[in-house]
Amino acid sequence: MDNIKEQMHVVYGDGTLGLNGLNYRYIFSYEAGGLESMLIDGKEWVYRTPRPLFWRATTDNDRGNHFSEKSAVWYSADMFSTCQKIKVAVNGHPIELPVAPVNNQYTSDEVSNDVDICFTFVTATSPQTTVDMNYHVEHDGEIKLTAYYHGNDQLPELPVFGIRMVMPTVATSFDYCGLSGETYPDRMAGAQQGQFHVDGLPVTKYLIPQDCGVHMNTESLLVNRQTTLNNADTDDNEFSLKIHQSAQPFAFSCLPYTSEELESATHQEELPVPRRTVLSVMGAIRGVGGIDSWGADVEPPYHISAGEDIEFSIVLNAQS
Amino acid sequence: MKPLLSWLDDPTIFRVGQLAAHSDHQHFLNQKEIGNKQSSFVTSLNGQWQFNFAKDPQSRNRHFFESDFDSASFEQINVPGHIELAGFDQIQYINTLYPWEGKTYRRPVGSLKDDVKQQAPFSEDDDNSVGQYLTQFDSPHRENNEKCILRFEGVDKAMYVWINGTFIGYSEDSFTPSEFDITDYLKPHGNKLAVEVFKRSSASYIEDQDFFRFFGIFRDVSLITQPKFHIYDLDIKPTTEENLTVGRLNIGIKLTASAAIIGGNVKLAVADANGKLLFDETSDLDTHIEFSDLRITNVHLWSHNNPYLYRLTLSVFDENGNLLELIPYQFGFRKMEIKNNVILLNHQRLIISGVNRHEWNDKTGRCITKQNMLDDLDTFDKLNINAVRTCHYPDQIEWYHLCDTLGIYVMAENNLESHGSWQKMGAVEPSYNVPGSLPQWREAVVDRARSNYELLKNHPSILFWSLGNESYAGDDIAAMDQYYHDMDDSRLTHYEGVVYTPEYRSRISDVESRMYASPAAIRQYLTNHPDKPYLNCEYMHSMGNSVGGMKEYDDLIHDFESYQGGFIWDFIDQALLVKDEVTGKPVLRYGGDFDDRHSDYSFSGDGLLFADRTLKPAAQEVKYFYGQY
């Protein structure tokens, strides 16, 4: 029996695609444009579907050299990009989008070894470009999430490109294997490699709230929570989501706020009461710079051209 | 002498009745006092004083200094402290523009061809708050002929002083000690000290530092008694022979005598760091004494890695052999020079892994404690910081002693910045620059150089005299440079602002100093026949989430011998911890948060440390790169 793989149940719903396994139940929403629910061991990990991440809250240096003004279209892209196309493949074979009446052909007992579902976002920029967010779900529950940005050289440089996931409640801590402290592409030489535990979701207390908390070159990440929004859930044991690198290490930040929330505050005390966990996983980040804070650009290797394609992957609910 | 309010307007009047600047040694009665670091000659006047605030010169109380003045209506204030942080005056943060921007129109005296029509700009204009301080003290115990000196370590911005109703002096230069001989004005009990401090004066033009603009008595106040024969200035000149193995020591002493010298002597003892006595010499008492050419073979040199200090003790005896005072001072031997366009310390290339440091405390502003200094030096050690620029004024004296002891290289900066007079909205516009080449301003700035030199000349940690910050350049700053070269061949001069006036290049600054130059621009300078060694007096602007790209600067250290490193801007965020008006919780606030306008908002938040002295995340990067050397 050992060589018989545990298969994944596929629920061809009318507005969603459900994938159920031994200890997980995922729901992909065609309307919301992504992974709407990631229930693992009975605990929900998704508050709002993961979306492409294009904005970082303006740093003092970004403000000084007018980067945010020049690249402001990415702020609107971060807020208002929309999912316009969805593709599904089962066991590697593309199928017609299984909404009614196409899904009438299926049964209550559909199984699969793996499923791919790809959501294509069109950016709220002018001109527009697209981002594909492909979820490759294995029967064991691992999700390899790949984000692919299609370059357009008519667009200004990017602050960041990644994936933002919002979790329903505030994490109690996170553990990661990567670099010590807060690091950026042009500020990571002094970091130590290791395994780190971070209590709470600390926001670096820069005088004006701004992008912070990035950890470069990360191999794996464990986000630990204790609470859910499920009224029937009385269990208060800690539970964790494991995220692992795919081919390349990733960068991440784990904060209680979105870029826009940080962007809007002029002081730390203006930030809202923490309610969610905002996990940003990044494939490309602009450097922070440091020559001065009133015009000097970030050094050339630490820019992100909008004209080049960017692709990166992570593994959610990693099993290894 | 009658004090005149018009002194506030006149840049040629900046010290009246003050004693001459002198070295920063302390005198003690005996060895036990030295051990306890507590001199019985010193009485602190710090504490609760009576205080009256006036929003302008016209509404100040004109009789408060009089002996019979009834001060029952006065409030209380803690000395030292800033008047704004005591709640009497509005807090304001502004960077380059003058703090009266948009409120009143002023131009510095003499700066425009036809002096602009303006009311007496500081004595009559209503943009000038006034703090009136009163305190009482009993005369400290004094033997016959002992003098009593009143000493202020720092008062911002201009101060008039009265004792028992008699005017005794006036001073400017906020960050430099002011001393007045009050011996002849004292009575045994209930002496009344009155101090009137103005927020603005002509000195405001040359104290336009990028910081919160505070005024008041913000450093210690003390009474110092001096024996009838007292060493008031000590000039320790340690030099080394070319091979650096032999040290030569010359010591010059200036003595005040308030009785006839009819004998007596001064004994000199020099010991090494282990206390082993090397010299034991005696000289007859005189107003000028020299101990010359004391030779130390196999001399220990002072440096960051080995801050070796020798111990000097001077003892003054009267004609009957009574010990009048003991003066301990620690000094070091080190050699600073420029050879082949490289700054060498003890024949080694100097690499500055430095920071700019403002004196800052998020609760008390620039009124800081010794513990704050020790904490900062502990952070220096953790982050491999080996040098500090005292931006942009002399620090509390204790700081220099600590730097001597811990081997921190100091760029000792004058209290001088006139940024608003030559740069507006980022553009160089020196139409009314001061001090420039204006004769009316020359003595004011040369006096600052003199005070800084005379006070701090014995500190081995000081490797550079910095003429000031961001004040453009002209004959007056050239005169400061000349002053330091005339007085001191053991250190280099530093000034950055001459980059805008290449015609002064040969007369100002021994080093090519720039701020915020890109690595590419520095590389360009260093590859095109540089004529001075290069350092960054400010670089790596640590505002918010910053300090990216340090490697590009680090590479320059490897690529160019004449690249000497630099001072990161800066050490600690300047923000104020206040109670949130909504939640009641303590929060950090910055410019503009006090309804203060014009303001430069959060621009003073550029530290490697947050204002509460916790490290910013970038600290690990600094620790790494600074740890390479």
Side-chain angles (χ1 to χ4, degrees):
Chain A
M1 292 294 283
D2 281 352
N3 60 352
I4 297 176
K5 288 180 182 171
E6 181 65 38
Q7 293 223 312
M8 174 163 64
H9 288 261
V10 183
V11 180
Y12 294 96
D14 291 330
T16 66
L17 184 75
L19 301 176
N20 303 330
L22 210 50
N23 66 340
Y24 64 88
R25 189 213 64 203
Y26 302 149
I27 298 173
F28 292 90
S29 165
Y30 304 133
E31 289 169 304
L35 178 65
E36 184 189 20
S37 171
M38 182 165 57
L39 198 73
I40 300 168
D41 293 327
K43 303 289 188 179
E44 180 58 70
W45 281 95
V46 175
Y47 184 67
R48 293 291 184 266
T49 54
R51 297 172 52 81
L53 169 72
F54 296 110
W55 192 249
R56 73 172 181 202
T58 302
T59 67
D60 285 306
N61 290 346
D62 289 341
R63 199 179 340 271
N65 60 31
H66 303 284
F67 172 74
S68 294
E69 295 156 35
K70 288 181 278 196
S71 289
V73 292
W74 296 116
Y75 182 84
S76 66
D78 195 80
M79 293 282 281
F80 303 117
S81 294
T82 50
C83 174
Q84 292 202 341
K85 199 166 72 181
I86 303 167
K87 284 199 258 183
V88 179
V90 178
N91 292 330
H93 303 295
I95 61 169
E96 191 178 356
L97 190 68
V99 291
V102 176
N103 60 348
N104 289 342
Q105 65 183 289
Y106 298 112
T107 69
S108 63
D109 192 23
E110 299 291 338
V111 293
S112 167
N113 184 56
D114 60 83
V115 167
D116 281 273
I117 180 162
C118 182
F119 300 86
T120 298
F121 285 78
V122 175
T123 60
T125 57
S126 178
Q128 293 179 318
T129 187
T130 56
V131 170
D132 300 323
M133 290 184 59
N134 188 79
Y135 299 83
H136 174 82
V137 186
E138 284 287 337
H139 57 89
D140 60 3
E142 270 196 359
I143 304 172
K144 180 180 171 188
L145 172 55
T146 301
Y148 194 104
Y149 164 83
H150 295 269
N152 183 326
D153 60 14
Q154 300 302 299
L155 289 166
E157 289 180 2
L158 285 151
V160 60
F161 175 66
I163 299 159
R164 175 186 295 132
M165 277 182 68
V166 182
M167 298 168 183
T169 60
V170 183
T172 48
S173 66
F174 57 92
D175 296 87
Y176 68 97
C177 184
L179 297 176
S180 64
E182 180 188 279
T183 45
Y184 283 83
D186 55 351
R187 202 186 73 208
M188 52 191 270
Q192 307 287 317
Q193 185 82 33
Q195 177 77 36
F196 301 96
H197 175 82
V198 179
D199 279 319
L201 298 180
V203 175
T204 314
K205 53 192 177 184
Y206 297 118
L207 266 188
I208 296 181
Q210 53 197 272
D211 190 66
C212 63
V214 169
H215 303 279
M216 300 294 297
N217 282 5
T218 307
E219 293 168 22
S220 63
L221 167 67
L222 206 59
V223 180
N224 310 307
R225 289 164 57 213
Q226 210 166 355
T227 56
T228 67
L229 296 179
N230 178 357
N231 59 292
D233 179 7
T234 54
D235 169 30
D236 61 359
N237 287 312
E238 191 169 83
F239 54 99
S240 304
L241 174 67
K242 189 170 181 185
I243 296 165
H244 206 276
Q245 72 167 62
S246 181
Q248 299 292 326
F250 60 93
F252 78 97
S253 67
C254 198
L255 300 167
Y257 305 118
T258 63
S259 312
E260 289 75 20
E261 285 171 316
L262 290 167
E263 184 75 54
S264 302
T266 68
H267 292 78
Q268 292 292 332
E269 63 270 22
E270 292 169 14
L271 290 167
V273 178
R275 292 181 184 282
R276 319 279 171 228
T277 302
V278 179
L279 174 65
S280 301
V281 183
M282 292 159 279
I285 306 177
R286 179 182 172 83
V288 286
I291 293 172
D292 67 36
S293 303
W294 50 90
D297 208 346
V298 170
E299 295 280 305
Y302 310 111
H303 292 224
I304 310 170
S305 161
E308 308 286 325
D309 289 7
I310 305 168
E311 181 184 12
F312 78 101
S313 302
I314 53 165
V315 178
L316 295 168
N317 193 17
Q319 298 298 302
S320 58
Chain B
M1 193 192 324
K2 192 172 152 38
L4 298 177
L5 206 59
S6 60
W7 293 345
L8 296 174
D9 305 315
D10 185 349
T12 67
I13 296 180
F14 45 86
R15 56 192 300 153
V16 176
Q18 262 182 269
L19 297 175
H22 58 81
S23 61
D24 63 355
H25 63 279
Q26 275 199 295
H27 58 289
F28 297 84
L29 192 59
N30 52 45
Q31 281 292 348
K32 190 179 167 203
E33 289 188 5
I34 294 177
N36 296 336
K37 296 182 176 171
Q38 188 69 53
S39 171
S40 58
F41 290 112
V42 179
T43 309
S44 172
L45 292 183
N46 291 352
Q48 288 288 309
W49 291 23
Q50 285 189 291
F51 185 75
N52 179 52
F53 177 78
K55 65 180 176 35
D56 56 48
Q58 286 63 48
S59 54
R60 78 195 195 284
N61 190 306
R62 287 162 203 249
H63 302 281
F64 88 107
F65 59 85
E66 293 168 1
S67 296
D68 54 358
F69 176 74
D70 178 3
S71 59
S73 66
F74 272 37
E75 298 185 70
Q76 300 282 308
I77 196 168
N78 200 48
V79 171
H82 301 297
I83 291 169
E84 293 82 354
L85 297 187
F88 291 101
D89 201 13
Q90 188 174 18
I91 294 166
Q92 183 186 11
Y93 164 65
I94 186 168
N95 175 9
T96 63
L97 295 179
Y98 286 105
W100 52 81
E101 174 67 21
K103 295 170 191 159
T104 190
Y105 181 88
R106 287 175 171 134
R107 286 293 180 269
V109 170
S111 64
L112 295 176
K113 238 183 200 155
D114 307 308
D115 252 349
V116 287
K117 279 211 168 93
Q118 53 187 343
Q119 289 290 309
F122 298 103
S123 60
E124 291 177 13
D125 195 294
D126 62 8
D127 170 66
N128 194 1
S129 314
V130 189
Q132 298 182 308
Y133 294 82
L134 287 174
T135 191
Q136 297 220 343
F137 62 90
D138 293 339
S139 265
H141 170 77
R142 283 176 297 151
E143 304 293 334
N144 268 350
N145 294 317
E146 282 198 341
K147 288 206 285 189
C148 185
I149 309 297
L150 171 63
R151 180 176 167 103
F152 297 86
E153 299 292 336
V155 180
D156 192 322
K157 179 77 66 210
M159 157 177 80
Y160 296 77
V161 184
W162 293 262
I163 293 281
N164 295 325
T166 303
F167 175 69
I168 59 158
Y170 170 79
S171 83
E172 295 178 1
D173 193 355
S174 307
F175 294 88
T176 299
S178 312
E179 290 184 329
F180 305 93
D181 183 348
I182 58 170
T183 312
D184 296 339
Y185 308 98
L186 289 181
K187 50 188 186 180
H189 301 289
N191 292 286
K192 179 170 164 179
L193 168 60
V195 182
E196 190 166 55
V197 182
F198 290 80
K199 184 160 182 160
R200 313 219 195 281
S201 75
S202 61
S204 300
Y205 282 110
I206 52 174
E207 296 185 12
D208 191 36
Q209 286 94 339
D210 171 14
F211 57 20
F212 280 93
R213 308 302 177 104
F214 296 133
F215 84 121
I217 304 172
F218 72 100
R219 287 181 183 166
D220 294 345
V221 185
S222 53
L223 295 170
I224 300 173
T225 53
Q226 295 178 347
K228 59 184 175 181
F229 306 125
H230 166 68
I231 292 175
Y232 83 87
D233 186 63
L234 175 59
D235 189 5
I236 307 171
K237 287 223 183 290
T239 54
T240 51
E241 290 185 357
E242 185 49 36
N243 60 13
L244 297 183
T245 59
V246 176
R248 283 184 190 278
L249 184 59
N250 288 294
I251 291 173
I253 289 168
K254 290 179 188 161
L255 193 115
T256 49
S258 51
I261 298 176
I262 50 168
N265 55 53
V266 172
K267 279 193 174 149
L268 166 144
V270 175
D272 67 14
N274 297 319
K276 185 186 161 203
L277 191 63
L278 303 177
F279 300 104
D280 189 3
E281 311 253 332
T282 304
S283 170
D284 288 344
L285 209 58
D286 202 346
T287 52
H288 285 79
I289 298 171
E290 297 276 337
F291 291 96
S292 299
D293 214 19
L294 307 175
R295 195 165 178 276
I296 299 177
T297 50
N298 297 320
V299 69
H300 295 274
L301 299 175
W302 182 95
S303 69
H304 174 66
N305 290 330
N306 183 17
Y308 194 99
L309 294 174
Y310 288 86
R311 303 173 190 174
L312 166 72
T313 309
L314 294 166
S315 317
V316 180
F317 295 91
D318 69 8
E319 62 276 11
N320 299 317
N322 297 315
L323 176 65
L324 298 180
E325 64 178 16
L326 273 177
I327 292 171
Y329 210 97
Q330 297 197 313
F331 65 94
F333 290 86
R334 86 278 178 287
K335 172 85 173 165
M336 270 290 276
E337 61 193 326
I338 296 177
K339 264 193 180 165
N340 300 324
N341 229 18
V342 179
I343 303 171
L344 304 178
L345 176 68
N346 301 336
H347 292 182
Q348 306 287 311
R349 176 187 173 205
L350 177 68
I351 294 175
I352 298 166
S353 300
V355 289
N356 283 273
R357 175 179 169 273
H358 272 289
E359 294 186 313
W360 190 251
N361 178 304
D362 62 358
K363 299 179 196 69
T364 56
R366 282 187 292 280
C367 180
I368 68 165
T369 63
K370 183 171 178 184
Q371 191 57 50
N372 292 150
M373 299 181 212
L374 293 171
D375 290 346
D376 291 353
L377 287 162
D378 189 46
T379 304
F380 279 26
D381 187 49
K382 284 195 182 113
L383 302 187
N384 302 309
I385 293 165
N386 72 0
V388 66
R389 176 176 179 230
T390 66
C391 63
H392 300 297
Y393 42 80
D395 289 342
Q396 288 185 38
I397 288 167
E398 183 67 25
W399 178 253
Y400 303 91
H401 288 293
L402 293 169
C403 289
D404 291 344
T405 307
L406 297 171
I408 300 299
Y409 303 140
V410 178
M411 176 176 278
E413 191 145 280
N414 280 289
N415 175 24
L416 172 61
E417 175 162 350
S418 65
H419 209 153
S421 77
W422 65 273
Q423 192 168 42
K424 290 115 194 180
M425 296 194 290
V428 174
E429 197 291 293
S431 55
Y432 67 87
N433 173 238
V434 283
S437 297
L438 302 173
Q440 300 96 320
W441 293 82
R442 186 164 313 158
E443 268 313 300
V445 298
V446 171
D447 185 68
R448 286 167 188 238
R450 185 184 302 117
S451 295
N452 200 30
Y453 171 75
E454 292 293 355
L455 183 72
L456 302 173
K457 57 184 176 273
N458 295 323
H459 290 279
S461 57
I462 297 175
L463 303 186
F464 300 91
W465 297 115
S466 180
L467 307 180
N469 184 59
E470 298 184 311
S471 300
Y472 205 61
D475 291 346
D476 294 2
I477 287 176
M480 297 172 80
D481 192 283
Q482 186 62 48
Y483 170 82
Y484 282 115
H485 280 116
D486 289 346
M487 301 305 292
D488 192 354
D489 58 6
S490 71
R491 300 180 175 94
L492 303 177
T493 61
H494 163 270
Y495 183 64
E496 176 271 344
V498 71
V499 294
Y500 302 104
T501 52
E503 64 272 26
Y504 284 94
R505 188 176 168 76
S506 63
R507 295 168 61 194
I508 295 177
S509 191
D510 295 329
V511 296
E512 173 74 9
S513 170
R514 297 191 193 171
M515 43 177 73
Y516 311 109
S518 68
I522 299 167
R523 202 168 275 279
Q524 192 177 24
Y525 169 79
L526 290 167
T527 45
N528 285 285
H529 310 291
D531 58 344
K532 293 180 182 181
Y534 180 95
L535 63 81
N536 298 298
C537 67
E538 298 177 16
Y539 81 121
M540 278 279 116
H541 196 255
S542 183
M543 184 175 184
N545 192 346
S546 183
V547 193
M550 261 193 99
K551 183 175 184 303
E552 319 300 323
Y553 289 97
D554 187 63
D555 288 345
L556 296 168
I557 295 179
H558 302 282
D559 294 350
F560 301 97
E561 283 286 299
S562 291
Y563 179 80
Q564 317 267 185
F567 301 88
I568 289 174
W569 187 266
D570 57 354
F571 184 66
I572 183 169
D573 279 2
Q574 295 166 70
L576 287 165
L577 192 73
V578 301
K579 198 164 92 169
D580 182 8
E581 62 283 355
V582 176
T583 64
K585 290 181 180 162
V587 293
L588 284 167
R589 291 285 164 89
Y590 51 80
D593 287 343
F594 306 93
D595 289 346
D596 49 318
R597 305 288 189 282
H598 184 58
S599 178
D600 286 288
Y601 303 93
S602 67
F603 197 70
S604 61
D606 325 320
L608 294 176
L609 275 62
F610 293 106
D612 63 3
R613 281 194 160 71
T614 54
L615 289 173
K616 283 186 189 173
Q620 69 178 3
E621 199 76 353
V622 175
K623 177 189 168 84
Y624 170 75
F625 282 109
Y626 278 5
Q628 309 290 311
Y629 307 101

